[in-house]
Amino acid sequence: MHDFTSFETILFSVLLIAAVAAFIISAARQVRIITAGRPDPGRFDDIGRRIGRFVREVLAQVRVIGGRPVAGTLHALVFFAFLLFALETSSMFGEPFGLAWLPAVFGSTLGVLRVIVHVFAVLCTLAILGLAFRRFVLVRYSPDPKSYESGLVALLIVVLMLTYIDLNTTHLLSARLNWWLHVVIILSFPLIILHSKHRHIFLAPIAVFLRRDRLWDVPPLNLDFEAVEDEDEIILGLETMTAVPWKLRLDFLACVECKRCTDNCPAAQAGQELRPADFIKAGQKALLAGSEEEPVIGTVISETALGQCTTCMACENICPVGIEHSQLLAGAKFAQTLALGTGGVATEFFKAMNNTGNPFSASPQDRSDLIAALEIPYYESGSTDYLLWLGCVWSYNPDFRSTVEATVALMKKAGVSFGVLRTEGCSGHHSRRQGEEMQFQMLAGENCGQFIEQGVKRIVTGCPHCVNTFRHEYASFLADQEIAVLHHSELFARLVDDGSLRLKAPPSGNDSGAAGSRRLTYHDPCYLGRYEGVFSQPRALIRAAGHTLVEAQQNRARSYCCGGGAAGFTLEAEGENRVDQERKRHLEATGTDTLVTSCPECRMMLAGTLEETFDIAEIVLAAVE
Ligand code: SF4
Ligand code: SF4
């Protein structure tokens, strides 16, 4: 620390006040943009869980590193250096007033702290140079147009680190010059940050803290119009920017433009128009331009791009700053279907749902015939343990008869008490994902009415979409009734673990049918894996059945969608850049000839990719003693 003249103290005071005032004025405008948003309840519940996530994702940078190990580690080093420098900077700001607090607090141990800060100053410099190299030189990894802003911020951080090191150790410049250079950069930093994507330094920790834990955790729309006093309170999704709730506004502003979401979006990877990073950036642009009356569809996301979304949630799952893409996608879909009534991609799906209550326009008699043919027992209130929910594909697609047969046979062999409902409507999952909230709420109400009437306590189903919907989206229709929902792979894994199902060592060779020991691959369904975290059970079953599992690229939480989400499985596949075709290429690259799925829709989309396709139930049944 050098001796400060009175002039220096006054100059520093003026600069400090000016910097703080400029920051507050600028920040206030952005705060106003955020707080002008519609209410978004439930963002402060379960504070303990939110603090835990904050520690994991912000302080320990787990997601940042996990998503991109090399760039993420470099970013984490910069972040840790910033935290340490917050101590040094606050003490430096006290120096002109004789209020440097670090020496007073740390005393003789200050030297140790300074060594640590110096180590991080060096690491931070190297990390910034590494990130800049990746951004500006390694075009393959970072092909987007280069921003001068990023270059300027990188340069300023490097100068900050070097002036700190020089001030304390190398002394190439005078202490006074170093100090002023260092401090002036710090004073200008908040303003530069606030007007660039680097505002994520302030907003990302808040967005992470406020994020909902579950993917696509979209609150139900209030469709009780009669109970609404003021017409303006009727919100049918995101028609215009005015309807954007405050957390989504914060998300738009918090985006760091890393494009991890786009890199992981199956539609973008397949070469389609949809690019999640682009619609987040477009939302930010519209907010900052004050385009409150502009329509969301058209300004933030195009109809075409919206129609390409499979709701796989690879985007939200990978975002390191807690941005919830689902809130925009769901809101735009609600508006498209309910308020605007235009542009939906699944018109045939809705027609079929309206006419027959299932996506295939099938007769309910087909389901009854299947139940009779396979001698599936009916659910008896009070005496049956599990409700076996067949779902639309199992009920109406004859290609799935062997899968239903295998599931029923396994449950009978294991002595599980189970039965099906006499009538079963669609769960409404795809209606909701397509924005048809009215249809969803009607179906959910009817189904839950049956669950309550029958006193259902446990449901098992082979459809991950139904699992997700029953577990998370039916709660408000079930009064206080609690229902445990299992995917059939979870139930089979439990039955194998507790010895109710015993699997035998299989003969080798693919020519022995599903019972032969095979080299096979498994496709993680988005709604079972990424949404529900069920990765290990299907794999454990495959191994217990004696098969060798060859993982496809992009597996587990990074799995690539089959293209069937958001009713995509009901659309006629066309065009060159198709999500299912891209996934088929991944599966073919495993060099195996057998595909195992645990979702009827994935199976519909991917059947025929390899020589044979089995549901996990068929694999288990073939290995049962
Ligand atoms: S939304 Fe998230 S993942 Fe996508 S570019 Fe922005 S910060 Fe990155
Ligand atoms: S949900 Fe899936 S398909 Fe839709 S934008 Fe996100 S990554 Fe792309």
Side-chain angles (χ1 to χ4, degrees):
M1 183 172 74
H2 65 278
D3 291 332
F4 288 86
T5 63
S6 309
F7 174 73
E8 279 183 308
T9 304
I10 292 168
L11 180 62
F12 176 71
S13 306
V14 170
L15 289 178
L16 181 62
I17 291 167
V20 170
F23 178 76
I24 289 175
I25 291 166
S26 274
R29 180 176 174 248
Q30 298 191 14
V31 170
R32 275 198 302 276
I33 289 174
I34 294 168
T35 53
R38 271 199 308 109
D40 197 349
R43 294 291 180 180
F44 295 95
D45 57 3
D46 207 348
I47 292 291
R49 186 173 42 78
R50 290 180 189 278
I51 292 173
R53 185 201 304 147
F54 185 88
V55 170
R56 234 176 14 257
E57 294 184 16
V58 178
L59 298 183
Q61 297 273 289
V62 169
R63 253 198 201 209
V64 174
I65 298 171
R68 280 183 189 155
V70 177
T73 305
L74 296 179
H75 183 281
L77 284 173
V78 176
F79 172 75
F80 297 140
F82 269 44
L83 290 186
L84 275 175
F85 268 88
L87 297 178
E88 272 290 12
T89 302
S90 57
S91 187
M92 271 176 107
F93 278 24
E95 285 174 6
F97 314 105
L99 295 173
W101 64 273
L102 273 184
V105 171
F106 280 83
S108 58
T109 57
L110 183 59
V112 179
L113 176 73
R114 289 252 155 88
V115 170
I116 297 171
V117 179
H118 273 84
V119 169
F120 271 90
V122 173
L123 290 175
C124 179
T125 308
L126 295 175
I128 286 288
L129 293 176
L131 288 169
F133 184 73
R134 180 183 182 281
R135 183 128 189 84
F136 294 99
V137 183
L138 297 180
V139 180
R140 194 173 134 235
Y141 292 101
S142 187
D144 309 305
K146 308 303 166 209
S147 103
Y148 292 112
E149 220 171 57
S150 299
L152 175 68
V153 169
L155 179 71
L156 291 181
I157 295 175
V158 169
V159 176
L160 269 184
M161 297 301 131
L162 295 182
T163 48
Y164 178 80
I165 294 168
D166 193 45
L167 184 65
N168 292 289
T169 48
T170 47
H171 308 301
L172 296 174
L173 301 177
S174 76
R176 180 164 268 114
L177 185 56
N178 259 322
W179 192 93
W180 277 102
L181 203 50
H182 191 86
V183 159
V184 167
I185 290 174
I186 291 177
L187 288 176
S188 62
F189 225 56
L191 212 53
I192 296 173
I193 285 172
L194 215 50
H195 291 282
S196 69
K197 66 175 191 172
H198 300 279
R199 72 170 78 77
H200 78 276
I201 294 173
F202 300 124
L203 297 185
I206 305 172
V208 169
F209 182 82
L210 296 172
R211 173 166 64 81
R212 295 202 173 99
D213 242 356
R214 189 163 61 75
L215 296 171
W216 205 281
D217 189 349
V218 176
L221 291 186
N222 181 6
L223 301 177
D224 186 2
F225 301 141
E226 283 168 16
V228 176
E229 283 173 16
D230 181 354
E231 243 184 49
D232 288 346
E233 283 175 30
I234 299 175
I235 304 288
L236 296 177
L238 303 182
E239 252 188 288
T240 61
M241 293 300 292
T242 324
V244 176
W246 63 266
K247 168 60 168 62
L248 185 53
R249 287 167 176 253
L250 188 143
D251 285 357
F252 284 155
L253 296 183
C255 177
V256 62
E257 297 173 32
C258 66
K259 298 196 170 56
R260 292 179 196 209
C261 51
T262 294
D263 289 351
N264 284 272
C265 171
Q269 284 185 64
Q272 298 182 3
E273 184 181 317
L274 175 61
R275 284 165 188 276
D278 289 1
F279 66 68
I280 297 294
K281 177 83 182 162
Q284 179 187 113
K285 219 170 133 193
L287 283 184
L288 292 174
S291 313
E292 290 288 338
E293 298 307 323
E294 294 298 319
V296 166
I297 298 175
T299 305
V300 178
I301 188 167
S302 72
E303 263 186 13
T304 309
L306 186 59
Q308 290 166 344
C309 176
T310 66
T311 74
C312 75
M313 283 286 90
C315 50
E316 190 165 309
N317 190 57
I318 198 79
C319 179
V321 301
I323 289 171
E324 294 165 272
H325 303 72
S326 57
Q327 307 301 322
L328 181 278
L329 293 164
K333 278 277 183 196
F334 286 148
Q336 189 178 46
T337 307
L338 299 176
L340 308 169
T342 59
V345 291
T347 38
E348 291 306 314
F349 166 82
F350 287 136
K351 241 188 258 167
M353 287 294 296
N354 286 332
N355 293 338
T356 60
N358 68 75
F360 305 108
S361 295
S363 157
Q365 187 58 40
D366 294 356
R367 178 177 178 272
S368 305
D369 292 347
L370 178 79
I371 291 168
L374 299 183
E375 296 177 9
I376 309 176
Y378 282 108
Y379 188 90
E380 299 292 344
S381 180
S383 59
T384 308
D385 207 358
Y386 279 94
L387 166 65
L388 173 61
W389 179 267
L390 293 178
C392 298
V393 184
W394 279 14
S395 295
Y396 301 113
N397 187 330
D399 293 347
F400 285 81
R401 189 182 167 114
S402 59
T403 307
V404 185
E405 207 167 359
T407 302
V408 168
L410 286 168
M411 292 177 79
K412 284 183 178 171
K413 266 180 196 295
V416 175
S417 152
F418 72 98
V420 292
L421 293 173
R422 284 178 194 279
T423 58
E424 189 189 276
C426 174
S427 69
H429 170 91
H430 290 292
S431 305
R432 187 157 208 245
R433 292 303 185 274
Q434 282 296 336
E436 230 313 358
E437 181 78 354
M438 285 190 194
Q439 192 169 66
F440 166 74
Q441 293 194 12
M442 193 194 73
L443 290 166
E446 285 170 6
N447 290 328
C448 289
Q450 286 213 71
F451 297 162
I452 292 169
E453 194 185 302
Q454 301 279 334
V456 174
K457 296 278 188 309
R458 290 185 181 141
I459 297 177
V460 62
T461 178
C463 176
H465 299 262
C466 295
V467 169
N468 178 264
T469 300
F470 293 160
R471 271 187 191 161
H472 310 293
E473 299 183 356
Y474 270 23
S476 56
F477 301 90
L478 280 171
D480 290 332
Q481 185 156 328
E482 289 198 4
I483 301 182
V485 182
L486 283 182
H487 185 250
H488 69 339
S489 66
E490 293 177 285
L491 177 65
F492 297 149
R494 277 189 200 176
L495 296 173
V496 169
D497 279 352
D498 70 15
S500 305
L501 287 176
R502 288 149 61 106
L503 307 191
K504 62 177 182 276
S508 59
N510 281 7
D511 49 357
S512 328
S517 171
R518 295 161 177 265
R519 280 180 80 250
L520 47 75
T521 191
Y522 173 71
H523 166 79
D524 284 283
C526 302
Y527 277 88
L528 186 64
R530 195 157 36 241
Y531 273 84
E532 295 300 322
V534 177
F535 302 112
S536 60
Q537 294 90 330
R539 287 175 169 78
L541 289 169
I542 287 169
R543 293 200 175 95
H547 304 294
T548 304
L549 176 63
V550 181
E551 292 286 2
Q553 70 181 78
Q554 291 183 245
N555 55 57
R556 293 176 178 263
R558 301 287 284 273
S559 181
Y560 188 96
C561 181
C562 70
F569 70 103
T570 64
L571 303 175
E572 204 55 58
E574 54 186 29
E576 283 180 6
N577 305 327
R578 278 164 41 194
V579 169
D580 60 321
Q581 296 294 23
E582 188 65 18
R583 187 53 172 166
K584 284 175 182 174
R585 279 191 276 279
H586 298 169
L587 298 172
E588 282 162 0
T590 61
T592 61
D593 58 12
T594 305
L595 168 65
V596 179
T597 68
S598 49
C599 170
E601 289 163 22
C602 295
R603 183 167 172 180
M604 280 177 74
M605 297 301 293
L606 301 173
T609 306
L610 304 182
E611 271 175 37
E612 290 188 277
T613 306
F614 296 108
D615 183 88
I616 191 73
E618 293 164 273
I619 291 290
V620 176
L621 181 66
V624 157
E625 277 182 8

